[in-house]
Every structure is written in structure tokens, then in C-alpha cells.
Amino acid sequence: MLRNEEYGVDWSWHDANGLSRVVNVSGTMTALGGSVTTKRVAEATAAAMPRFAKIHELQAQASETIARLTGAEAGFLTASASAGISLSVAGCLTGLDPAKVEALPEGAGPDNGVAVQMGHLCEYGAPVSQAITLVGGKVHVFGQSTQTRDYQLEAALEGAAAALYVVSHHVVDYGMMPLETFIKIAHAKGVPVIVDAASEYDLTGMIAKGADIAIYSGHKFMGGPTSGIVAGRKDLVRAAYLQNIGIGRGMKIGKESIAGSIAAMEQWLERDHAAIRARETEALQMWSEAVADLPGITAKALPDPTDNPLERLRVWVDPAVAGASAAQFAVAFGRQDPPIVVRGHEVEKGYFDLDPCNLTDGQAALVRDALTRVLSDKSAVEIDEAAAHDDVRNGGTESYLNWLS
Ligand SMILES: *Cc1c(COP(=O)(O)O)cnc(C)c1O
């Protein structure tokens, strides 16, 4: 086993700034800084910093790149995908009327409904419903958490300015209405469809299926600076963009992030996806071999639940044999030096996952050695079972509450 310094990971920035080192095998998480960018994206961001530029011109360039990336007519960049949802809903409420833009959220008018099926009312770090109500939209929930029928959407479209569809592992994965049907029913009533596809690799599918607006995060798999990508029908994109003179002001994106996000999108169009996938597969292989003979541990690479082209290693833990539960081990990994953040969304089911998409040089081997060390020695676990579950479930909010306390 290598000593911490010997993996070849560059920790110089963390160490110089007194920050905790972090190994992220959980996915693209806001609390860990989203994703890591390439040098090309960092340079594009840095080049914009010391210069003035006409923002509308930069955004028009972004629009062209977004159109090439998604097949949409137009697009723009904003602070985040969450902002993209709010601005898109607001655009459907106001059209290109600046007085209406300034009147939001109170002045949204009576037809301010946004139809969403109940199983899509997820939280991605904040409730999706709040991204709607924030701008004056009224959530028209339809269906039940595990069942949606056509007539329910038809009813929810009465008095609606938009309909929102969420494609994500965060949403209920059965009994939901397929996107094509959702679009067909909404369009029959003349209501535009906004698709939140923040974390999806499929950049053309939503628009190809007829979505009027599709929204992506620039800082997730795309590896751009923190940003949201709004793509869609030109009239709606322009109306959403106009919100920058109103509610969008607090969701502003700067020139540096526009330049960096354009570079990230160009890079996505050109990058060697197969080579990146091969490197990820190699890490999964290395980790599976490391845990293969550990008592009470079973691991298998599984495809992404929404068909993104990636796999994660699922590690099942039999507590009676391994000496601790999946939740306890997940917490223990976070207390290593350096902390290793695993994907513990479903630890109550007896497993955690390892996501290989955000590794930097040397980290795959570091994770491999930590897996053998922690999973074979329950003395690494300093937290009891119930507390470990509470920690995983409430941790996201607790960390905000504990900040500066
Ligand atoms: C991450 C995510 C968001 C929020 O994205 P940000 O760009 O971080 O605001 C919204 N919706 C879904 C489905 C997500 O996965």
C-alpha cells in the first residue's frame, strides 16, 4: 500500500490554502465543487477575466454553440440549471414584454400554472417546485407518486403557461408518463414543454422529441465552470433571456463563465468519449478486483439508471459478515485522510456506489487501497449504525446548518 504522498495526486492547491483534500467518487456534487475542468476550459475562463466584452455578443456565440450541441434553434447560459428552470418558466409567463418581466413574481397573471407529474417533484439540492414558485409560477401537480395518466395531465394544463418534465435518477422511475406522450398532450393544448435534463449526457434527444426548452448543467459531466445551459425554441429562449432585466439578475453568469462554458461545450463535441470511458472502466475493474475476496462484500459494475453512457461500481455490504453496514462504511470513507466521498444515496438498501467520472491522476489507486483498508477492518468505523444512516440522510442540510456555528 502506498503512503498518501506517493499516489501522484496533486494536492498543492488544497495544502497551500489550508483546505481539506477531497477524493470524489460520488458524482457531480455542488457541495464538492461540481466537476473539475480541463486546462483548455480553465484557460478560456482565465482569458476572459482581465478584459471587457459585450455580454450579448458572448451570449450570441453561446447560442450558436448550444444550437450545434443540442439541435435547438437557440440558447443562452445562466448561473445554473436551477436558474435555467426558473428563467424558462418566467419566459413562458411573460413572453417578450419587459413590463411583465419586471412585474414578476406577483404579476404573473392568472394563467401561471406549470404542470408537473408528482413523481417528478424531486429535490436536486433544492426542491424543483421552488424553482417554479420563485418566479410566480404555480405548480399544477398531477398524478400520484408512482402513477400518471393522460387525463390528469390534460386537467393540469388548464390555466398553465408551461409544463415541466424532469429526466433524472432523482425522479420516480416507474409509472411515469413518457416524454413523447407528455409533449403530445401539452402541445395539443398549446402549452410549451420545458425539460430539466441537468445531468443527462443526451444533449439532442429532448429537443428531437419535441421539447420546447431543454436545460443542462454546464458544470456536471460537461466539465465547465458553474453554469446552466438553456436550449430551445428561439422565441422562448429570447423570453427567458429577457429575465436578466428582472428576476434573472440574481442568477447572473459572468463573462468568464460564459467563455469557459463555450469552451467546455466545444470540447464535449470534440472529445474522445471512448478513451474517457475506457479509463473509467479500468478504475472500476481495479476496484472490483480489490474487494473481490473481502468477507461480506460483493461488488458489480452497473449501468447508469437513466442510460447515461457510464457505469458505477455497486458495493453491497453484508453487515453480519463485514462487521459494519454500508452506511457505516460510507461515513468511514468520508473520515479517511484524504476524505473519500462515496455515493451513498441508497445506503439504507445495503449498498453504496463508486462513481469513476471525477477522478484526477493517481486517485483511482488511492481509492483502491482505501477500499481494501476500510472494508476489511471494521475498526475504521467509528459511528453506530443508526447515526450513520442519519448522517447520510441529513448530512446535506446539516452541513449548511453547522457552517460557522
Ligand atoms: C443537478 C440538477 C439540477 C440543478 O443543477 P444546477 O446546475 O446545479 O443548478 C437540476 N435538476 C436536476 C435533475 C439535476 O440533476
Side-chain angles (χ1 to χ4, degrees), residues 28 30 79-85 122-126 128 166-171 196-200 215-220 226-229:
T28 48
T30 293
S80 62
S82 187
I85 299 169
C122 62
E123 91 106 59
Y124 44 70
V128 67
V166 183
V167 183
S168 170
H169 67 273
H170 291 301
V171 304
D196 170 11
S199 206
E200 302 309 298
I215 295 160
Y216 298 90
S217 283
H219 50 267
K220 290 187 174 173
T226 304
S227 57
I229 300 166

Side-chain angles (χ1 to χ4, degrees), residues 77-167:
L77 295 164
T78 181
S80 62
S82 187
I85 299 169
S86 294
L87 300 184
S88 300
V89 168
C92 292
L93 293 170
T94 65
L96 278 170
D97 182 341
K100 285 191 179 165
V101 171
E102 287 181 3
L104 293 184
E106 293 92 345
D111 294 333
N112 62 341
V114 179
V116 192
Q117 49 195 328
M118 190 182 278
H120 282 192
L121 285 177
C122 62
E123 91 106 59
Y124 44 70
V128 67
S129 57
Q130 200 171 34
I132 296 167
T133 54
L134 189 62
V135 300
K138 184 163 189 285
V139 180
H140 285 188
V141 189
F142 66 97
Q144 304 303 321
S145 61
T146 55
Q147 178 85 71
T148 302
R149 299 204 167 90
D150 295 3
Y151 68 87
Q152 295 166 335
L153 172 56
E154 280 161 12
L157 290 167
E158 290 304 318
L164 177 71
Y165 193 97
V166 183
V167 183

Side-chain angles (χ1 to χ4, degrees), residues 384-402:
D384 76 43
E385 159 69 359
H389 276 281
D390 291 348
D391 194 279
V392 173
R393 214 162 38 78
N394 298 315
T397 303
E398 291 292 323
S399 56
Y400 281 94
L401 287 169
N402 292 335

Side-chain angles (χ1 to χ4, degrees), residues 35-89:
S35 56
V36 285
T37 69
T38 59
K39 193 154 167 266
R40 171 173 169 185
V41 171
E43 282 172 358
T45 306
M49 286 295 283
R51 298 181 168 94
F52 290 109
K54 292 189 171 173
I55 287 292
H56 299 306
E57 213 173 84
L58 264 174
Q59 287 277 25
Q61 285 187 1
S63 178
E64 281 179 18
T65 308
I66 293 168
R68 265 195 292 129
L69 198 66
T70 63
E73 287 173 5
F76 70 97
L77 295 164
T78 181
S80 62
S82 187
I85 299 169
S86 294
L87 300 184
S88 300
V89 168

Side-chain angles (χ1 to χ4, degrees), residues 127 196 230 248 268 284 331 367 376 398 404:
D196 170 11
V230 177
W268 183 263
L284 295 178
V331 174
V367 171
S376 60
E398 291 292 323
L404 299 185

